[in-house]
Amino acid sequence: MKCSAVSITAFTALLFLSRVDAFLTLRSSSCKRVERRLSINPSREWHIFSSDKTSPSLAEDETPTTSFKARFIDATPKSPLDKPHIIVPGATTPNDLDYSINGPLPTVDFVLTREGPAVAEELADENLLKVICQECTDLEVNTLVWKCLGYRHEVDITGESPRWGNKECFPNWSSRYPVPPDFLGMKRVYSKDVDEPSLRSNQALVRTIPLSNKQQLKVHLKKYGFRGFKLKELTPNKTRRAQCANWLLYYREEIFGYSLKELQVRKKERLKKEKEESEWNRTTGNNDNWRPPLDEVV
């Protein structure tokens, strides 16, 4: 019995030592992987996403700066997947304060003028295809969306510098954005302190699209060979351009050509119909027609 007890104790000790050895080996290999990653790109920061977002550290849930989870942390070079800015010699650039007012456009074969409301030619499928294919500037995309929202490029009667006015803007939108926001992030700097206003305004624009009008790009642009994007092809700029193009399609199909009073009448009729459908679903126990929240521009 004594010999058996000694054997069991020895076996237990050996098992414990083998587990400790395996743990130390795993820890060593993990550290080597981290060192190898940092040696490949020493400028890349690694952050733990906890309540303390100011102190970078390594952790089990470490996330590279290029991931969607780390959308605001950008210590790495810009993605080569984006086409570069179109620079016009002698003209203002995205870093200039008056770029949204006086920046050059159109710079390529893109149908757009800065003055007046949007016209049908500016909302044509060929134009929208250039938006998502980065064949026009960020300013041109912003300008087209601004015009559709009702902002107008105007010169004050006192002779002051040009500016964007909001007198014709949709009331629900202008109350939140009296000045037209940058939907794309024209500086293409995606750190939180620089990019957050652009990200939030783009998200606000997307929330105004009804569920039935989402995912319309492939429907309208399939005839040009557009099949959508692969996840690995997406960048912040491409994603936001696609969202702006989808909103422009919604505007063209549902809003363009109607007066504000006509749109308000249509809205009342639609809300009445949705209320009746909701009541019918409640009485019949049909709960399959849930819709996401909608922040309408009208």
Side-chain angles (χ1 to χ4, degrees):
M1 293 291 292
K2 186 179 291 186
C3 181
S4 177
V6 172
S7 298
I8 293 174
T9 303
F11 175 76
T12 304
L14 287 172
L15 181 62
F16 174 75
L17 289 174
S18 66
R19 289 185 176 180
V20 170
D21 182 64
F23 171 77
L24 292 175
T25 302
L26 180 63
R27 183 181 180 87
S28 175
S29 63
S30 177
C31 290
K32 288 179 180 179
R33 285 199 305 271
V34 171
E35 290 173 359
R36 187 163 58 251
R37 290 172 181 172
L38 293 178
S39 66
I40 293 172
N41 188 356
S43 68
R44 174 172 290 179
E45 298 177 4
W46 296 74
H47 292 248
I48 179 173
F49 286 80
S50 63
S51 57
D52 180 13
K53 297 184 179 180
T54 60
S55 56
S57 64
L58 288 170
E60 291 182 2
D61 60 340
E62 60 192 9
T63 308
T65 60
T66 51
S67 73
F68 286 100
K69 191 174 182 182
R71 70 180 78 188
F72 288 127
I73 304 171
D74 188 24
T76 57
K78 289 184 174 63
S79 171
L81 297 175
D82 282 328
K83 292 183 180 179
H85 280 298
I86 298 174
I87 303 299
V88 178
T92 55
T93 69
N95 292 320
D96 296 320
L97 295 177
D98 62 341
Y99 181 66
S100 64
I101 301 172
N102 297 319
L105 65 85
T107 56
V108 291
D109 187 21
F110 187 73
V111 182
L112 180 69
T113 60
R114 188 177 271 119
E115 293 75 23
V119 297
E121 292 77 10
E122 296 172 336
L123 297 170
D125 288 339
E126 294 84 354
N127 238 28
L128 299 185
L129 184 65
K130 292 174 183 177
V131 169
I132 61 176
C133 292
Q134 295 183 314
E135 294 179 359
C136 58
T137 65
D138 294 347
L139 176 59
E140 288 167 335
V141 178
N142 271 326
T143 300
L144 181 53
V145 177
W146 294 341
K147 290 174 62 174
C148 292
L149 285 168
Y151 297 104
R152 296 290 178 264
H153 189 264
E154 56 190 33
V155 179
D156 193 272
I157 57 175
T158 60
E160 295 181 0
S161 300
R163 62 187 178 89
W164 284 100
N166 62 8
K167 294 179 181 178
E168 298 181 34
C169 203
F170 293 113
N172 289 353
W173 182 267
S174 62
S175 62
R176 185 173 180 182
Y177 294 101
V179 177
D182 177 6
F183 295 110
L184 301 184
M186 292 187 288
K187 293 182 179 179
R188 299 194 185 182
V189 177
Y190 300 112
S191 57
K192 183 175 182 178
D193 58 325
V194 175
D195 186 59
E196 186 166 18
S198 293
L199 175 67
R200 300 306 177 200
S201 64
N202 187 280
Q203 291 173 336
L205 186 72
V206 172
R207 285 196 297 270
T208 66
I209 306 175
L211 183 61
S212 58
N213 293 94
K214 294 184 184 290
Q215 306 297 329
Q216 292 293 301
L217 288 176
K218 287 192 288 187
V219 175
H220 290 273
L221 303 182
K222 184 178 180 180
K223 58 188 175 183
Y224 299 102
F226 179 69
R227 296 291 185 271
F229 293 108
K230 295 180 181 179
L231 184 60
K232 63 181 181 181
E233 297 174 338
L234 286 176
T235 65
N237 186 267
K238 284 185 178 180
T239 301
R240 297 175 192 182
R241 279 172 172 264
Q243 291 163 338
C244 286
N246 199 77
W247 186 87
L248 289 168
L249 277 172
Y250 157 62
Y251 173 84
R252 186 186 75 185
E253 300 298 318
E254 302 293 339
I255 298 177
F256 181 64
Y258 292 96
S259 67
L260 181 59
K261 185 173 292 187
E262 290 173 328
L263 290 171
Q264 290 172 339
V265 171
R266 294 181 70 200
K267 178 181 177 180
K268 287 182 180 179
E269 294 174 349
R270 180 176 53 78
L271 291 176
K272 181 181 178 181
K273 182 179 179 181
E274 289 179 357
K275 184 178 180 180
E276 293 173 350
E277 290 179 355
S278 177
E279 182 66 21
W280 184 85
N281 290 329
R282 187 183 65 81
T283 56
T284 58
N286 181 13
N287 297 319
D288 295 334
N289 292 325
W290 179 85
R291 292 185 177 89
L294 179 65
D295 296 335
E296 299 186 73
V297 292
V298 180

